[in-house]
Amino acid sequence: MEALIPVINKLQDVFNTVGADIIQLPQIAVVGTQSSGKSSVLESLVGRDLLPRGTGIVTRRPLILQLVHVDPGDARKIDDGGREGEEWGKFLHTKNKIYTDFDEIRQEIENETERVSGNNKGISDEPIHLKIFSPHVVNLTLVDLPGITKVPVGDQPKDIEVQIRDLILKHISNPNCIILAVTAANTDMATSEALKVAREVDPDGRRTLAVVTKLDLMDAGTDAMDVLMGRVIPVKLGLIGVVNRSQLDINNKKSVADAIRDEHGFLQKKYPSLANRNGTKYLARTLNRLLMHHIRDCLPELKTRINVLAAQYQSLLSSYGEPVEDQSATLLQLITKFATEYCNTIEGTAKYIETAELCGGARICYIFHETFGRTLESVDPLGGLSTIDILTAIRNATGPRPSLFVPEVSFELLVKKQVKRLEEPSLRCVELVHEEMQRIIQHCSNYSTQELQRFPKLHEAIVEVVTSLLRKRLPITNEMVHNLVAIELAYINTKHPDFADACGVMNNNIEEQRRNRMRELPAAVPRDKSAGKGPAGPTVVSGEPPASGADMDSAKAPAAGPQAEQDGTGSWRGMLKKGEDAPGSGPGSPLKGAVNLLDVPVPVARKLSSREQRDCEVIERLIKSYFLIVRKNIQDSVPKAVMHFLVNHVKDSLQSELVGQLYKSGLLNDLLTESEDMAQRRKEAADMLQALQKASQVIAEIRETHLW
């Protein structure tokens, strides 16, 4: 299992080359308040002075420190200055430069910190990567984070506390991270900021290890026995006490090895029962063991995550496409693919099927049978026609002569007016289909042919050509739909089988109604004798309905009165007997004196005579019957016309139109110019894919025996 930590270090190196943070690798993050001894603990683990020292905030960028154990017999490294050493370090940002002088490492850390974070006391979340090779270290990966602070000092920003806190949480929120919470022994453990922050992301304490520093600086008469025994604040992974070098020791150049020896003596003297479970060496071994077990637990999920990301980046790289070599072939291939996808979207056989809403051919079908069909069905056959309109049309169609029958001209005029109302929804249907054909262009660009995103100018040109083709076909289709309605208006086919059947049924109904009215006449009224021979005879005052029935005999003729005769609503038999019956016997007869016609008041509203009612009813039924026939024809023929003149024509001529407009040698370079950031994104995706593949190989080298 010792081989697991170098594996993680290799993975760290792999992903550092691409600067990616998509894989959360197992590591140990050091958390603590400012000047609590975090850097001193790290130096003790390394065994060398390599970290910047001073008062106030010193660590201002995360330091990812990889400790790599090498055998003493391995080849010694020689740095750029010709110095040889068995311990050496390497920074990621300086590539292959080797440092054997740890003072230079410290200086490089300071310089790199100032380069990014500036000379003030500000912080940065961009990490510094340092790798230490030594025979005196155990394999570990540690992250030294800036110390938690409360009050901004110097020219620090006012929100420095929030910035540091967010930076710390960013690292320790990684579920694969072990938290090393450092707290000074001369402070109260109950007020430890490090443990408080660790508990926020690890409430169960399953990945938190507490370290108590400065055991030698506690007040006289007190000790850390209760703290080290875990009685004050229990921590599941344990609690380890260490003794750091004081600033005086550092100034006097006291070595880390001497400090570790003095630490061991202090623990044996002060805490003899706990000496073997505390100290820097025990801390290093514990961290190594924890990290190995943690890596073993995280490895299966890590392997799955790497494989999934590799597949995703492979797909992403494929969508970016290869650099263009043969421009003519590439252009022709893209045009053909777009035309095929456009037609497939209409046919419903596209590779990418929309699930959120209808699109393509399905939406066109919906427009035909739902939107257009329902709109036509909602059109009232008699909409906009009142009884007075119908009656006026009948009278206008007869001219100066009273009519004996309902004139056919009035029926034609009225039915044409109603049929004309079907033209507007038909043209609107064409417009909706045209809009959907426009939307299919965007659908194909977004989902079906992602390669077009590489070439924005080609994409714009294709959209322009297809839009122009649709725009060209729109007036032709509108003209055809207009002609369909005009054809229906051109000839009113009253011999249509459906219309003839409706007329037969209607005539039977009218005859039946006439017979019913005849039966309802009073028996006391003689049918064949005049009943209007005197002032007591029945007359009809204007505004009352005259006697019903078109075939009434002479006894009913005078009942219409002179007024009805003047309006042209009297029965024809009454008019024939006009000479025999005294028409002037009524009280309103014009024979009593000269009357100016303009002075006679015309009734504004009156009840229709039975003949007027019957004539209007006949016309209404005829209009309704014929209108339904025409509406059925229009509902069937308009979608066919739209499909033939617009949809199918565009499908059939799209590719030839695109090739004819775009496949020209003078346009190749311009159309196949990639977007500015496409090459950069392709390179980044290729680098990431290569890193993931390499990481997968590294993990694949782990044998089952390494896990135990």
Side-chain angles (χ1 to χ4, degrees):
M1 199 161 69
E2 189 70 27
L4 292 180
I5 295 178
V7 167
I8 295 301
N9 289 342
K10 286 182 183 178
L11 294 178
Q12 195 92 41
D13 295 341
V14 166
F15 291 115
N16 287 342
T17 57
V18 292
D21 198 22
I22 59 172
I23 295 290
Q24 296 178 323
L25 297 174
Q27 59 191 11
I28 300 173
V30 184
V31 181
T33 55
Q34 194 169 292
S35 301
S36 61
K38 302 184 305 301
S39 298
S40 297
V41 170
L42 292 180
E43 285 185 339
S44 300
L45 294 173
V46 177
R48 299 294 292 265
D49 293 334
L50 78 158
L51 297 177
R53 289 278 185 164
T55 57
I57 185 168
V58 178
T59 306
R60 296 188 285 127
R61 287 179 61 184
L63 174 66
I64 298 179
L65 181 62
Q66 295 180 3
L67 305 183
V68 182
H69 177 79
V70 294
D71 294 332
D74 285 355
R76 298 163 70 85
K77 292 289 181 179
I78 300 176
D79 65 7
D80 296 345
R83 288 166 294 193
E84 187 180 24
E86 64 176 4
E87 297 177 304
W88 67 93
K90 289 170 64 175
F91 287 97
L92 177 66
H93 63 271
T94 58
K95 304 302 180 186
N96 296 322
K97 184 177 180 180
I98 295 175
Y99 296 83
T100 56
D101 185 353
F102 281 80
D103 289 336
E104 289 186 9
I105 292 178
R106 183 192 307 114
Q107 188 61 44
E108 181 61 31
I109 292 174
E110 292 178 355
N111 294 340
E112 182 66 11
T113 300
E114 291 181 359
R115 184 183 68 81
V116 176
S117 303
N119 296 323
N120 57 14
K121 299 294 185 179
I123 65 167
S124 170
D125 61 351
E126 184 179 339
I128 300 173
H129 295 268
L130 173 62
K131 187 178 289 189
I132 300 294
F133 300 85
S134 171
H136 309 300
V137 299
V138 294
N139 290 314
L140 281 178
T141 300
L142 300 148
V143 183
D144 187 19
L145 297 170
I148 302 171
T149 185
K150 291 293 184 183
V151 181
V153 296
D155 54 358
Q156 285 182 338
K158 293 183 179 180
D159 63 340
I160 186 68
E161 178 188 358
V162 177
Q163 289 185 21
I164 294 176
R165 183 181 180 84
D166 292 344
L167 176 60
I168 292 172
L169 289 174
K170 176 184 174 183
H171 283 81
I172 66 176
S173 296
N174 173 7
N176 297 334
C177 174
I178 294 176
I179 305 169
L180 192 64
V182 178
T183 305
N186 56 359
T187 61
D188 193 344
M189 286 290 289
T191 62
S192 171
E193 287 288 337
L195 289 174
K196 178 185 175 184
V197 173
R199 188 163 289 183
E200 288 183 20
V201 295
D202 182 32
D204 297 334
R206 295 183 181 277
R207 53 188 181 91
T208 301
L209 175 67
V211 176
V212 180
T213 62
K214 304 181 182 180
L215 289 175
D216 55 332
L217 298 182
M218 295 187 68
D219 291 341
T222 61
D223 60 26
M225 184 64 73
D226 288 343
V227 172
L228 296 178
M229 293 291 289
R231 296 171 186 157
V232 178
I233 296 181
V235 181
K236 287 190 177 180
L237 292 186
L239 198 150
I240 300 174
V242 297
V243 177
N244 299 333
R245 291 180 300 167
S246 65
Q247 190 62 44
L248 180 61
D249 294 337
I250 296 170
N251 295 338
N252 293 336
K253 305 293 184 182
K254 184 177 182 178
S255 68
V256 175
D258 293 340
I260 291 176
R261 188 170 56 252
D262 292 345
E263 176 194 49
H264 181 67
F266 174 82
L267 291 173
Q268 288 288 355
K269 178 182 177 182
K270 191 76 174 176
Y271 306 99
S273 61
L274 302 175
N276 61 340
R277 285 187 285 128
N278 288 278
T280 301
K281 288 187 176 181
Y282 181 77
L283 174 62
R285 291 195 304 271
T286 302
L287 288 175
N288 178 263
R289 175 177 55 82
L290 288 175
L291 188 57
M292 283 192 299
H293 284 85
H294 195 60
I295 292 172
R296 184 190 66 185
D297 296 338
C298 297
L299 209 55
E301 183 182 349
L302 189 64
K303 187 175 182 179
T304 303
R305 172 76 173 154
I306 288 176
N307 291 336
V308 169
L309 282 174
Q312 291 177 354
Y313 273 90
Q314 181 66 59
S315 174
L316 183 64
L317 189 61
S318 300
S319 69
Y320 291 154
E322 297 294 330
V324 178
E325 296 179 359
D326 188 347
Q327 290 185 331
S328 299
T330 301
L331 179 61
L332 192 59
Q333 179 184 3
L334 289 174
I335 288 175
T336 304
K337 187 168 184 179
F338 178 87
T340 304
E341 289 296 336
Y342 190 91
C343 296
N344 288 344
T345 303
I346 295 176
E347 294 294 335
T349 58
K351 188 185 303 181
Y352 298 90
I353 296 179
E354 188 74 58
T355 58
E357 60 178 354
L358 293 177
C359 74
R363 188 168 184 84
I364 292 175
C365 178
Y366 181 85
I367 292 170
F368 285 157
H369 301 292
E370 297 293 333
T371 307
F372 179 57
R374 287 179 180 174
T375 303
L376 288 188
E377 289 173 3
S378 67
V379 177
D380 184 9
L382 300 174
L385 279 183
S386 65
T387 305
I388 298 301
D389 295 335
I390 297 174
L391 196 58
T392 303
I394 293 174
R395 289 186 175 182
N396 286 337
T398 60
R401 298 174 301 281
S403 63
L404 298 177
F405 307 101
V406 179
E408 290 186 9
V409 178
S410 61
F411 164 70
E412 288 199 11
L413 290 174
L414 294 171
V415 82
K416 285 181 179 180
K417 178 181 177 183
Q418 296 306 100
V419 170
K420 186 72 174 174
R421 296 169 60 215
L422 297 175
E423 184 174 9
E424 184 180 350
S426 301
L427 294 175
R428 177 59 182 158
C429 175
V430 178
E431 186 179 341
L432 289 175
V433 174
H434 178 265
E435 290 174 2
E436 179 57 28
M437 300 282 281
Q438 286 282 119
R439 288 179 67 239
I440 295 176
I441 303 175
Q442 193 63 36
H443 173 82
C444 292
S445 302
N446 291 342
Y447 299 100
S448 304
T449 53
Q450 294 182 357
E451 293 92 337
L452 281 180
Q453 306 301 327
R454 294 174 55 193
F455 310 109
K457 290 187 177 180
L458 175 61
H459 179 247
E460 291 174 5
I462 289 178
V463 171
E464 179 61 32
V465 170
V466 182
T467 304
S468 176
L469 179 60
L470 290 171
R471 196 183 306 122
K472 195 189 308 179
R473 297 303 302 175
L474 182 61
I476 299 174
T477 310
N478 281 337
E479 181 67 22
M480 182 59 199
V481 171
H482 175 78
N483 287 339
L484 287 176
V485 179
I487 288 169
E488 295 291 347
L489 295 174
Y491 181 64
I492 305 301
N493 182 18
T494 55
K495 292 293 186 180
H496 192 284
D498 296 340
F499 185 69
D501 293 344
C503 289
V505 173
M506 184 181 63
N507 290 336
N508 293 337
N509 291 340
I510 294 175
E511 184 65 23
E512 184 66 26
Q513 291 174 5
R514 189 188 67 79
R515 289 176 184 153
N516 292 338
R517 285 196 295 268
M518 294 294 292
R519 292 193 197 99
E520 293 171 2
L521 286 174
V525 179
R527 296 196 172 195
D528 48 358
K529 293 186 179 180
S530 174
K533 291 184 179 179
T539 58
V540 177
V541 182
S542 176
E544 295 182 0
S548 59
D551 301 311
M552 292 179 61
D553 54 16
S554 58
K556 303 301 290 180
Q563 182 65 37
E565 184 179 319
Q566 180 181 336
D567 292 340
T569 59
S571 65
W572 61 275
R573 283 193 177 182
M575 287 188 283
L576 290 178
K577 292 201 170 190
K578 183 177 176 181
E580 300 175 7
D581 300 348
S585 60
S589 172
L591 298 179
K592 288 189 175 183
V595 179
N596 187 357
L597 292 178
L598 297 178
D599 295 336
V600 176
V602 180
V604 178
R606 63 178 179 81
K607 293 184 180 180
L608 299 181
S609 67
S610 60
R611 176 171 179 178
E612 289 173 335
Q613 289 178 343
R614 186 175 66 254
D615 290 349
C616 289
E617 185 180 343
V618 168
I619 292 293
E620 286 177 357
R621 291 189 178 185
L622 291 174
I623 290 174
K624 187 173 182 180
S625 175
Y626 196 80
F627 181 87
L628 295 178
I629 294 172
V630 174
R631 186 174 73 182
K632 184 178 179 182
N633 294 341
I634 293 294
Q635 192 170 350
D636 179 62
S637 58
V638 167
K640 292 178 179 178
V642 174
M643 285 298 296
H644 177 72
F645 285 91
L646 181 62
V647 180
N648 289 343
H649 188 279
V650 170
K651 278 171 51 183
D652 296 340
S653 60
L654 178 60
Q655 182 165 354
S656 59
E657 189 78 14
L658 288 171
V659 172
Q661 295 282 347
L662 304 179
Y663 193 65
K664 299 175 181 177
S665 57
L667 298 175
L668 288 177
N669 287 330
D670 187 42
L671 292 178
L672 294 181
T673 302
E674 284 189 321
S675 58
E676 297 177 359
D677 59 336
M678 183 57 69
Q680 178 65 25
R681 283 190 287 173
R682 187 190 297 113
K683 182 180 181 302
E684 291 176 357
D687 292 344
M688 179 59 70
L689 179 61
Q690 185 178 1
L692 289 166
Q693 290 173 342
K694 194 171 181 181
S696 183
Q697 292 175 359
V698 170
I699 292 182
E701 293 172 359
I702 300 175
R703 300 289 178 263
E704 288 295 326
T705 54
H706 293 161
L707 302 177
W708 307 102

